[in-house]
Amino acid sequence: MSFPQTLHLFCRVVDNYGDIGICWRFARQLQREHNIAVTLWVDDLRSFQRICPEVVLDLEEQKIFGVAIRHWRDQEGVFAVSDLADIVIEFFACDIPPGYITAMAECNPRPVWLNLEGLTAEEWVEGCHTLPSSHPRLSLTKHFFFPGFTEKTGGLLRESSLEEQRQQFQSDPKAMAEFLAQFGVTAAEMASTKVSLFCYPDAPVTALFEAWQNGATAITCLVPEGVAADSIQVFLGAEAKAGASFTRGALTVRVLSFVAQPDYDKLLWACDLNFVRGEDSWVRAQWAGKPFIWHIYPQDENLHHKKLRAFLQRYSPDIESLSSFSLCWNGAEIAVDKGQTDWPTLWSLFQADMPKIAHKSVDWQQKMLANGDLTSNLLQFAVSLRSEAAKN
Ligand code: TRH
């Protein structure tokens, strides 16, 4: 029988939408492009529903676009060998139920057990990618699989048709205008600098809005509902509900409803500049081939600043304006002007470099394509582990 036929992916939603966003994208690709029967175990259906409106909240089991979804409620349960899958993946080191692990040890052959890790540009990743870890009691080995930016890592998540879809969309101005028109973007706004904004609540949005408002370039900023809510409220002078919009000086802000995942790609493709955050939207911005600013997920002891610097060093060591803007956006540096970040200057330097940054985005995207895609790389690794196991 060919391997693999079945795969179980366990996702614990720690925060927001990235955990389920990545797992859902990954699960769909495994099913659609590799014809694997995937079961996605997820503990938070409400977050899931935000990016995939088809999810029904009170179902224990459901099938969406060919992927079986199981509501993962607790760590209880006794599992039979027949309940398991050929490949078992824990996302971000979430602990899978002990009963499931016990059953894995009884399987022959054992499932390929992988821990899919988070994305970082730090160099140590290459040394840890695909490392084994033996279970302390049972005869089982789990392997670590790291996404990444080099050929010595697992690469980035990317569907096989993504590039073609993007090129088609971006070469069709009418399709882009129609797409943005559903959010109220007018023909005049189409000619402005279009920016999508997705960030954590502590991003200095109010200060940037002020710089944009007083700047010489017309900017249309599209913000999904709930994002940067306080700053949007200050700007609009009213609650930031989907459909709300307001123009002040050179800046128009439009609040959109949170879009379904495939439409989020289109939003990134249609804008001239994207502010993204976390992991999944960050990767999607890289595939969009457009300039982007990343708001990294905050970690204790400012560990995230180290990760941000590692990425900037890899991505744009030669573009000072992009690095300064990104560091200030993340509170990692202050461009001092009387003790305050000087956003008008940061923005005008960044803006002047936008054509150069746009070129960089395309080059980077091509470079990342050469590393293959995470899903295919992971499956290849799983197949190699299985054939090694068969030899022993
Ligand atoms: O939502 P995020 O901040 O998610 C995460 C989590 O906090 C997680 O715990 C942490 O580990 C990780 O960041 C680093 O950001 P992210 O990763 O970009 O995920 C957002 C998802 O939501 C992504 O799949 C895109 C999707 N999305 C939509 O589908 N529609 C929208 O309108 C927007 C703005 C996003």
Side-chain angles (χ1 to χ4, degrees), residues 25 162 166 169-170 176 179-180 183 194-199 222 224 256 259-277 279-293 361:
R25 195 181 289 296
L162 184 72
R166 174 184 80 91
F169 186 73
Q170 287 179 337
M176 289 201 283
F179 176 76
L180 292 181
F183 307 121
K194 299 172 292 300
V195 180
S196 77
L197 178 65
F198 187 37
C199 57
L222 305 172
L256 331 174
V259 296
Q261 224 179 18
D263 278 347
Y264 184 64
D265 278 324
K266 288 190 176 167
L267 182 65
L268 299 176
W269 299 343
C271 285
D272 306 296
L273 167 64
N274 296 302
F275 285 74
V276 289
R277 76 183 200 190
E279 181 170 324
D280 195 49
S281 57
W282 175 41
V283 172
R284 302 316 273 187
Q286 294 175 52
W287 293 133
K290 294 288 187 88
F292 67 88
I293 298 288
S361 322

Side-chain angles (χ1 to χ4, degrees), residues 198-277:
F198 187 37
C199 57
Y200 295 111
D202 62 328
V205 174
T206 303
L208 183 61
F209 275 5
E210 251 170 55
W212 283 349
Q213 180 182 328
N214 300 322
T217 311
I219 292 181
T220 305
C221 180
L222 305 172
V223 197
E225 193 174 16
V227 175
D230 292 347
S231 301
I232 304 293
Q233 182 146 5
V234 168
F235 186 80
L236 294 174
E239 208 184 325
K241 284 248 165 72
S245 76
F246 203 84
T247 301
R248 267 212 203 113
L251 172 63
T252 297
V253 172
R254 290 191 173 277
V255 181
L256 331 174
S257 40
F258 205 84
V259 296
Q261 224 179 18
D263 278 347
Y264 184 64
D265 278 324
K266 288 190 176 167
L267 182 65
L268 299 176
W269 299 343
C271 285
D272 306 296
L273 167 64
N274 296 302
F275 285 74
V276 289
R277 76 183 200 190

Side-chain angles (χ1 to χ4, degrees), residues 6-24:
T6 52
L7 184 146
H8 283 184
L9 172 60
F10 286 83
C11 171
R12 201 173 282 294
V13 175
V14 177
D15 206 1
N16 307 324
Y17 314 107
D19 308 294
I20 186 59
I22 293 165
C23 288
W24 177 229

